[in-house]
Amino acid sequence: MHLRPRLPSSTPACPPLSRTLSFSAPALLPPKLKYSKGAAGAYDIRSLEQFAGDDTTAEGHMVLEARRKWLDYMRRAEYELPLLEVHRVPFVPPSPKQTLAIRTLSYMGAQHPAGRKASLTTAISSLPLKSAAAKHKFKVLAGARWSGPLRPEEGKGLWHGKGDEDGTIKIACEEFPERAMNVKWCADVLERLVEAANDQTESFADIPLDTRHIDAHKRRAGDGRHRLADLARPGGGRRPSLARDFPKRWLPEGAEYVGA
């Protein structure tokens, strides 16, 4: 039997190998400091009561948030909208000389690629064209942007419900990042077209108007106007043919049709 010798009472005990340490915020605070539950500490997470499972669901919070937004708009309509009456401007309809219509799209502040697009529409009869030859050249230069002759029920607002034999021109642009830049481009193109049409140093009197886009629009409309227009032509309603309907005045001197 082996006995372990007893240590003298004067020998100090060995210190513990580890000790309990706490680095939490309450442990580092002075013992006499208390949390404030007043206005400054009302939203402190340490001042919240213990959760008892009596809160509403996530869907319930969504309903409450929607209700708060609705109440906010109602308060604005009740107290802020009457303040805007001082900025009220009476509506004045455009005069017969104001035929330039600019159309843009707005998505209520949301970013959208079509939000920068701008289109300009105006009646050709309202443009400062000097002569009938200038109008003809303007229509040739406009190409498919020319609408063709319009009936009285078409294009209301540009010429106050009256028909226009000269029709309208429409220019659209969405190449630039800002809406105002696209509007400026359309206006510049219209000014250059008017300037080129009034320049009669090179007349387009021998060039006929291209109405293929007008005929296609009539066919898509489906109201039968294209059939009436075809019957009124010299061909009597037959389909156009390059061999029969090609203008002879465009051929060189001495050339003749070959075939049909």
Side-chain angles (χ1 to χ4, degrees):
M1 182 176 181
H2 299 279
L3 298 177
R4 181 179 297 178
R6 297 181 62 181
L7 295 176
S9 58
S10 61
T11 304
C14 296
L17 298 179
S18 63
R19 60 176 179 173
T20 304
L21 299 178
S22 177
F23 294 96
S24 61
L28 298 178
L29 291 175
K32 295 184 179 180
L33 182 61
K34 296 182 180 181
Y35 301 125
S36 174
K37 293 187 178 181
Y43 298 98
D44 195 336
I45 192 173
R46 295 168 294 184
S47 302
L48 298 177
E49 299 179 359
Q50 185 177 2
F51 179 66
D54 54 351
D55 195 8
T56 183
T57 60
E59 290 79 3
H61 281 289
M62 295 173 63
V63 172
L64 294 176
E65 181 64 23
R67 192 68 177 178
R68 294 189 193 98
K69 290 184 178 180
W70 180 82
L71 290 175
D72 179 58
Y73 286 122
M74 292 299 103
R75 293 189 185 98
R76 293 185 182 184
E78 181 70 21
Y79 299 107
E80 296 184 14
L81 287 182
L83 301 178
L84 301 178
E85 293 183 358
V86 295
H87 304 286
R88 182 181 298 173
V89 178
F91 172 74
V92 179
S95 64
K97 297 182 179 180
Q98 297 175 344
T99 61
L100 191 65
I102 298 177
R103 180 175 179 267
T104 58
L105 295 176
S106 176
Y107 291 86
M108 303 300 292
Q111 297 293 330
H112 194 277
R116 62 175 182 267
K117 182 178 179 180
S119 62
L120 182 149
T121 308
T122 184
I124 296 179
S125 59
S126 64
L127 297 176
L129 299 174
K130 299 179 180 179
S131 60
K135 288 185 178 181
H136 177 79
K137 185 176 181 180
F138 184 88
K139 297 173 185 177
V140 173
L141 293 175
R145 295 181 177 88
W146 174 51
S147 66
L150 298 180
R151 296 177 295 178
E153 63 271 16
E154 295 177 333
K156 291 184 178 180
L158 293 177
W159 45 89
H160 299 268
K162 299 180 180 180
D164 195 343
E165 292 295 332
D166 294 325
T168 62
I169 180 175
K170 181 178 180 180
I171 305 173
C173 180
E174 55 180 337
E175 298 295 331
F176 300 99
E178 297 295 335
R179 185 184 306 169
M181 300 170 66
N182 292 315
V183 173
K184 182 65 167 58
W185 184 89
C186 295
D188 292 344
V189 170
L190 181 62
E191 291 180 359
R192 292 199 300 267
L193 284 174
V194 172
E195 183 180 357
N198 288 326
D199 185 8
Q200 293 297 319
T201 56
E202 183 178 359
S203 176
F204 288 0
D206 57 337
I207 301 179
L209 296 175
D210 188 2
T211 60
R212 289 175 294 178
H213 63 286
I214 302 175
D215 299 336
H217 177 72
K218 292 179 180 179
R219 290 188 179 92
R220 289 194 299 267
D223 54 2
R225 286 188 295 159
H226 63 284
R227 297 194 182 99
L228 297 177
D230 290 341
L231 292 175
R233 290 176 178 174
R238 59 175 173 78
R239 297 179 63 86
S241 172
L242 181 62
R244 292 190 297 264
D245 302 327
F246 190 84
K248 295 182 180 180
R249 60 181 181 276
W250 290 5
L251 296 175
E253 296 183 1
E256 297 180 356
Y257 283 113
V258 178

